[in-house]
Structure formats: structure tokens, C-alpha cells
């Protein structure tokens, strides 16, 4: 296992992140640390040769990880807890404690697939918590005869959105990523949180056969891929779309309109956008 890594300023990210994302796809992780102006860009690959072109073009270093790299990351540096509404807190260590019965989700810091610190993940988590706040595990359903809600997590990475959904009451969760290493990381995080009923799958979203109906699809992906698979996303009652740069919003808005998908809420942090959507002319009524 090898990781390309570069400490990057906001100026460098603004100039290079889109190009880097096109080269690395969903393997790119941008890790932000509270109180620091710079970020760390990481790409994990099983073959060093795959990373040499990235280093020659963007600089940075390539590190060979030990076989127990996941365990080392799990015990690495800790970060401040990330509070998601009133029901969930993301922490980096299992030694953390929760007050007022708030559920804890342990995602180790330093993971090459992200730990919830990137604003796209944080916005997606908050939209998910808000969207399901009055549903609960057995709450009356919105536009669905089922008593329990289901989530499809596309580009799952560490599995953070999938595992958060289980903590927030989802009965069924399917999590997809094209990289087997990401899925291995997500499964390890599921074991760490004693969550054993998430369906993790390695698949190419362009070719994977989507379920006929699902309550929520969360897709934290590059906008080009989001636009390509939008027709498949219409089978969900609700959508959470993230990974969208401000300069890509107009193109995505046009694609949403073509597919009959209405924007219910738009969130912005810095240059990143996250959307809550409903694949009909009108958003669903409150539960």
C-alpha cells in the first residue's frame, strides 16, 4: 500500500484540486485540520508506479505504508469531535465519551479516505441528520409504505455516511466504492463501531445496477460523475449531493432541471456546495 501526500495551501488547492481530482478520481482525499490554514492532499494506491505520475506533476511525496497501516492510522493523532445536530458526534478515538445520550461514531483521523473533516462530508452529514430528524427507526414514512428507511451511499470512502445513517436509525444501508481498499477501510470502521449490517460493495457506479427504490441516496462525488448518473438517482425519494465546486454549480443545476429533480436546500462552505434534492416537482411533505 502506497500513499501520495502533499501539504497544500488554500491557494494551491484552488489552482490544482480540480486537475488532481480528474487524475485521481474518488481516491483523492483532502484532509483539513481544525485551526490550520493548510490541508493535506492524499491519494492511496496499491502500486507505487500509479503515483509516480502524480508526484511528477503535482509534487509531494510517496510513502510506503506498513502492512498494519490501518491499525496505525486508528491510533494516530486525534481531532476535535464533529457534532452533527443533536443526535450524532464524530470522534477519532473509541475512548471518547458522549453526553446527553448523543450517539458516537468513531472514524480515525488520518485516514487516506477521509474522516469527516472535509467540508463536503460534513455538509452531507448535517443534511442527512436534518433530513431524518423526525423519522427515527420506526417513524411514519414519507411517500413510502415501509416503516424503516434505507440509504444508498455512493463513493463511501471510510463508510462515514453509511455508518452515520445506521446510527441515525436507517434499517438498510448499501455503500458503494470502486476501490477495494476504501471498502476494506469502511468495513474496518464498521467493525470498530460494532455495526455489522451495512452492505458494502466494490462497484463502478456507471455500470452498477441501482435498486428500484430507496429512500435516500447520498452521493459525495465529482460533479462530472454526478451528472452522468443523475437518471439513476431519480429512483430515490431524497438526494444528498456533494463534492460540487462553485464553478460547477450552474452546469449541475441545468442537469438537475433536465432530470426533473428539485433542489430543496443548498449549502455552501468556501468553494464547495452541497444540495438536498427531491426527484419531483415538489419536495416531500414533512413527516
Amino acid at each position: 500500500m502506497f500513499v501520495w501526500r502533499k501539504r497544500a495551501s488554500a491557494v494551491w488547492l484552488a489552482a490544482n484540486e480540480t486537475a488532481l481530482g480528474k487524475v485521481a478520481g474518488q481516491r483523492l482525499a483532502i484532509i483539513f485540520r481544525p485551526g490550520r490554514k493548510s490541508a493535506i492532499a492524499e491519494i492511496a494506491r496499491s502500486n507505487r508506479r500509479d503515483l509516480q505520475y502524480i508526484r511528477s506533476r503535482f509534487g509531494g511525496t510517496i510513502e510506503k505504508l506498513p502492512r498494519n497501516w490501518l491499525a496505525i492510522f486508528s491510533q494516530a493523532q486525534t481531532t476535535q469531535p464533529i457534532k452533527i445536530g443533536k443526535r450524532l458526534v464524530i470522534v477519532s478515538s473509541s475512548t471518547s465519551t458522549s453526553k446527553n445520550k448523543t450517539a458516537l461514531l468513531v472514524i480515525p483521523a488520518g485516514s487516506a479516505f477521509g474522516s469527516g473533516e472535509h467540508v463536503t462530508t460534513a455538509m452531507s452529514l448535517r443534511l442527512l441528520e436534518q433530513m431524518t430528524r423526525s423519522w427515527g427507526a420506526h417513524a411514519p414514512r414519507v411517500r413510502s409504505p415501509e416503516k424503516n428507511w434505507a440509504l444508498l451511499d455512493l463513493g463511501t470512502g471510510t463508510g462515514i455516511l453509511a455508518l452515520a445513517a445506521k446510527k441515525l436509525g436507517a434499517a438498510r444501508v448499501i455503500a458503494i466504492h470502486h476501490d477495494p481498499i476504501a471498502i476494506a477501510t469502511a468495513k474496518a470502521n464498521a467493525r470498530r463501531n460494532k455495526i455489522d449490517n451495512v452492505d458494502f460493495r466494490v462497484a463502478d457506479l456507471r455500470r452498477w445496477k441501482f435498486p428500484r427504490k430507496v429512500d435516500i441516496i447520498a452521493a459525495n462525488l465529482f460533479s462530472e460523475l454526478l451528472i452522468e448518473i443523475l437518471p439513476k438517482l431519480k429512483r430515490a425519494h431524497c438526494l444528498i449531493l456533494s463534492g460540487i465546486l462553485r464553478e460547477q454549480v450552474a452546469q449541475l443545476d441545468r442537469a438537475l432541471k433536465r432530470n426533473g429533480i428539485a433542489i430543496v436546500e443548498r449549502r455552501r462552505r468556501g468553494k464547495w456546495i452541497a444540495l438536498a434534492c427531491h426527484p419531483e416537482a415538489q419536495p416531500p411533505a414533512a413527516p
Side-chain angles (χ1 to χ4, degrees):
M1 179 70 173
F2 298 86
V3 172
W4 171 86
R5 183 177 291 116
K6 181 179 177 67
R7 185 172 294 279
S9 67
V11 173
W12 189 92
L13 284 172
N16 294 279
E17 188 169 355
T18 299
L20 187 58
K22 289 181 179 178
V23 174
Q26 297 177 42
R27 291 180 175 88
L28 173 64
I30 307 295
I31 303 170
F32 294 86
R33 298 286 186 243
R36 297 185 184 180
K37 294 182 178 180
S38 62
I40 298 174
E42 290 186 350
I43 300 169
R45 295 282 179 89
S46 58
N47 192 323
R48 184 187 185 94
R49 186 180 304 172
D50 295 339
L51 298 174
Q52 288 174 344
Y53 168 75
I54 294 173
R55 183 177 63 181
S56 67
R57 181 175 175 184
F58 298 99
T61 61
I62 299 175
E63 176 186 354
K64 182 178 180 180
L65 299 179
R67 291 187 177 182
N68 63 335
W69 63 274
L70 185 58
I72 292 173
F73 278 143
S74 300
Q75 298 170 5
Q77 56 192 324
T78 60
T79 61
Q80 293 297 317
I82 302 172
K83 187 176 180 181
I84 308 299
K86 296 182 179 180
R87 295 188 290 153
L88 182 64
V89 175
I90 312 295
V91 296
S92 59
S93 170
S94 57
T95 60
S96 301
T97 58
S98 176
K99 298 179 180 180
N100 300 323
K101 299 182 179 180
T102 303
L104 288 179
L105 180 59
V106 181
I107 304 292
S111 170
F113 298 97
S115 56
E117 296 170 334
H118 195 287
V119 294
T120 60
T121 306
M123 287 191 292
S124 297
L125 285 165
R126 289 183 171 91
L127 284 172
L128 176 64
E129 192 278 334
Q130 176 183 296
M131 190 177 289
T132 62
R133 192 170 295 165
S134 56
W135 290 8
H138 301 281
R141 292 296 303 111
V142 180
R143 307 184 60 80
S144 172
E146 301 297 330
K147 292 183 178 180
N148 302 316
W149 57 277
L151 175 130
L152 176 58
D153 179 17
L154 306 181
T156 192
T158 57
I160 186 169
L161 278 166
L163 300 177
K166 293 300 298 184
K167 291 283 188 178
L168 295 173
R172 184 182 180 217
V173 176
I174 303 173
I176 307 294
H177 203 102
H178 74 282
D179 192 331
I181 298 172
I183 292 298
T185 303
K187 287 181 177 179
N189 283 329
R191 291 192 295 271
R192 182 174 289 106
N193 288 277
K194 296 180 172 58
I195 297 174
D196 59 4
N197 52 352
V198 175
D199 185 359
F200 291 107
R201 304 185 189 183
V202 179
D204 183 342
L205 295 178
R206 296 176 177 87
R207 299 179 178 85
W208 186 63
K209 186 176 181 181
F210 281 56
R212 292 184 61 185
K213 290 291 182 182
V214 64
D215 296 290
I216 301 174
I217 292 179
N220 188 0
L221 305 167
F222 289 104
S223 63
E224 294 88 348
L225 180 56
L226 278 176
I227 291 171
E228 185 175 345
I229 65 173
L230 272 182
K232 298 181 179 181
L233 304 187
K234 293 168 63 175
R235 29 189 111 201
H237 296 303
C238 303
L239 298 175
I240 298 171
L241 308 180
S242 191
I244 309 155
L245 291 166
R246 292 176 68 173
E247 59 265 28
Q248 300 167 336
V249 168
Q251 183 182 10
L252 180 61
D253 283 351
R254 290 191 294 270
L256 290 169
K257 187 174 182 179
R258 286 196 305 270
N259 284 275
I261 298 174
I263 298 174
V264 178
E265 183 176 347
R266 189 188 303 263
R267 294 195 176 198
R268 177 188 298 167
R269 287 188 62 185
K271 64 180 180 179
W272 294 102
I273 305 294
L275 304 174
C277 304
H278 187 254
E280 290 183 359
Q282 298 294 328

